[in-house]
Amino acid sequence: MKVISVVGARPQFVKLAAVAEAFRGTGHEHRIVHTGQHYDADLSDVFFADLRIPKPDVHLGIGSGGHGAQTGAMLAALDDVLLGDTLFGGERPDWVLVYGDTNSTLAAAVSAVKLHLPLAHLEAGLRSHNRRMPEEHNRVLTDHAADLLLAPTDLAVRNLAGEGLAERTVMVGDVMTDILLRVRDAVDGKPLELPGEDEPHAAAPAGTVGGAGAPDLWQDRGLADELGGRGYLVATVHRAENTDDPDRLRAIVEGLAALPLPVLLLAHPRLRDKAAAAGIPLRQGSLRVTRPLPYPQMVRAVLGSRGVVTDSGGLQKEVFLLRRPCTTLRTETEWPETLDGGWNRLCPDPAGLADTVLRDTPVPVTGHPYGDGHAAEKVVAALADRT
Ligand code: UD1
């Protein structure tokens, strides 16, 4: 079987790590195309290195841009690559496999169906039912274009059935859980590591905004010691709904800064750029700012924390699986299983942050809604069964 995985943004690299590992030693031919949607070393290279993902066979180098320009540039480039000589010597792949809900997902989905290549969507069936989110457009359009829908949860299976897509759906579980459980076991008990001031970082390519190594995001080596124990929170904010409106962004940053314990803010470039443009200082009050962390260090930081505040989809689920309380800066979640027992709580209004973050300890839960850590093997089997 010949399979092309197309990825481009940080959460997709984690999913790819699980899938690439499951392909290893199977005899199937698996090739990787990186669109270049994420290009900062912090968001891309360190994931490939730390999670031992094979180097991409093709890197499109598309970079940032408006939704139309970015998606369109990927689409134009992918048409030649999916059927070109580089991947399978001009032979047609059996599957094009796309991941999650980013612009890279949609571009690869459209390219594959236009070329009449079988398309499989990993993490199919998630819904926020919020049609203002770019991710919701991407996942709905991709699900309806795909030939095989690899669903991570029972709810995702039901969502797809409700849209008339039951026959194309296979429940495989969540591949991010495969990686998380492995990394958790590897980092538990290790010291907290944060990027230091004397640690230069790979520069962003010419023409890009900012760069992962922007000096304002470097921290003293002493920060990890200051945070030690479990007396801190971890925060991430990057979604358009939270960063693009300066008033909302200010309310979120000030709400985090006013919390009564240190908040380790892992600043995505989009947050850094939008805050700078709106004149909102990220270093204020309780906030301790650092660059996005490599995956193992992020997992270690969450394990050592008293909880997490985030608008990320994947991180909500990871925090639930690591059994730390999560506060989600959104009106809805694609992972409602995390709300069970109060482990995750939605907090759309930043004025409610302190009350939500400092709530009572959640109730123990015993279910495993995201699978048993072997989802990626089921993905490979589902693809092979239908070749
Ligand atoms: C994208 C995904 C989102 C996912 C997130 C994970 C879409 C529509 N959104 O959002 O679902 O949760 O990735 O991080 O695909 N930038 C850099 N360096 C980079 C990449 C981006 O500086 O390597 C900056 C640029 O200013 C860019 C902005 O971040 O304009 C937004 O990047 P983009 O890839 O468009 O979307 P994300 O916000 O990262």
Side-chain angles (χ1 to χ4, degrees):
M1 172 172 72
K2 297 178 177 57
V3 179
I4 302 173
S5 281
V6 184
V7 293
R10 179 172 57 172
Q12 293 168 327
F13 307 141
V14 182
K15 295 164 204 166
L16 172 63
V19 171
E21 172 68 28
F23 269 115
R24 207 163 284 152
T26 58
H28 300 303
E29 296 174 79
H30 179 222
R31 303 280 186 268
I32 298 170
V33 176
H34 188 321
T35 64
Q37 176 169 350
H38 282 175
Y39 41 83
D40 280 356
D42 286 339
L43 298 187
S44 179
D45 303 10
V46 294
F47 283 77
F48 279 80
D50 286 332
L51 300 178
R52 295 195 294 275
I53 306 170
K55 209 168 152 296
D57 297 278
V58 174
H59 196 298
L60 303 178
I62 300 296
S64 300
H67 290 295
Q70 186 183 52
T71 312
M74 292 172 190
L75 186 49
L78 277 165
D79 279 359
D80 288 338
V81 169
L82 296 183
L83 283 181
D85 289 336
T86 316
L87 296 176
F88 292 114
E91 282 185 48
R92 297 174 76 80
D94 297 296
W95 288 105
V96 174
L97 179 59
V98 299
Y99 298 68
D101 55 21
T102 74
N103 289 343
S104 300
T105 316
L106 180 63
V110 174
S111 182
V113 294
K114 295 284 182 194
L115 296 170
H116 306 298
L117 294 174
L119 173 68
H121 183 204
L122 181 69
E123 210 177 73
L126 296 190
R127 295 291 180 267
S128 68
H129 304 289
N130 177 353
R131 296 301 290 262
R132 292 191 59 80
M133 289 177 64
E135 292 82 4
E136 186 76 353
H137 316 151
N138 292 341
R139 59 172 84 98
V140 171
L141 291 166
T142 301
D143 280 341
H144 283 260
D147 303 287
L148 176 59
L149 299 165
L150 300 161
T153 60
D154 292 334
L155 176 60
V157 170
R158 290 200 297 279
N159 288 339
L160 292 166
E163 294 174 28
L165 301 173
E167 280 182 12
R168 299 184 226 166
T169 301
V170 177
M171 163 74 170
V172 288
D174 174 47
V175 299
M176 283 180 111
T177 299
D178 299 8
I179 293 295
L180 177 74
L181 298 181
R182 208 174 310 157
V183 171
R184 176 198 64 189
D185 294 343
V187 301
D188 203 8
K190 295 253 169 74
L192 176 64
E193 277 180 59
L194 299 173
E197 192 155 5
D198 54 350
E199 216 170 294
H201 217 276
T208 57
V209 187
D216 62 323
L217 298 188
W218 289 353
Q219 283 286 353
D220 309 339
R221 287 229 167 263
L223 180 63
D225 296 335
E226 181 205 332
L227 296 177
R230 288 181 63 173
Y232 66 94
L233 298 165
V234 172
T236 77
V237 182
H238 76 278
R239 284 200 188 271
E241 311 90 272
N242 285 333
T243 52
D244 288 3
D245 171 6
D247 292 336
R248 177 156 179 86
L249 180 57
R250 187 179 304 278
I252 290 173
V253 171
E254 290 179 355
L256 290 170
L259 291 171
L261 67 173
V263 179
L264 178 65
L265 178 63
L266 311 179
H268 184 286
R270 182 187 194 111
L271 168 67
R272 185 190 64 216
D273 294 346
K274 295 285 179 181
I280 303 167
L282 291 182
R283 286 189 170 193
Q284 54 168 301
S286 298
L287 287 171
R288 311 284 187 275
V289 190
T290 191
R291 305 186 317 235
L293 294 178
Y295 193 74
Q297 281 150 255
M298 193 275 296
V299 172
R300 172 62 188 81
V302 171
L303 274 174
S305 76
R306 286 199 15 204
V308 173
V309 182
T310 189
D311 60 2
S312 156
L315 188 54
Q316 289 171 51
K317 184 178 30 138
E318 287 155 348
V319 178
F320 172 81
L321 291 166
L322 295 172
R323 293 292 187 263
R324 297 289 177 274
C326 185
T327 297
T328 296
L329 290 159
R330 290 180 48 197
T331 46
E332 70 285 306
T333 175
E334 298 82 6
W335 303 103
E337 303 83 4
T338 59
L339 302 171
D340 196 15
W343 287 96
N344 187 14
R345 186 76 62 84
L346 299 175
C347 180
D349 182 357
L353 256 180
D355 284 347
T356 313
V357 168
L358 303 173
R359 66 188 184 270
D360 291 341
T361 311
V363 180
V365 287
T366 50
H368 297 283
Y370 301 119
D372 56 3
H374 295 280
E377 293 151 38
K378 294 178 193 142
V379 169
V380 174
L383 294 169
D385 281 353
R386 287 159 186 78
T387 298

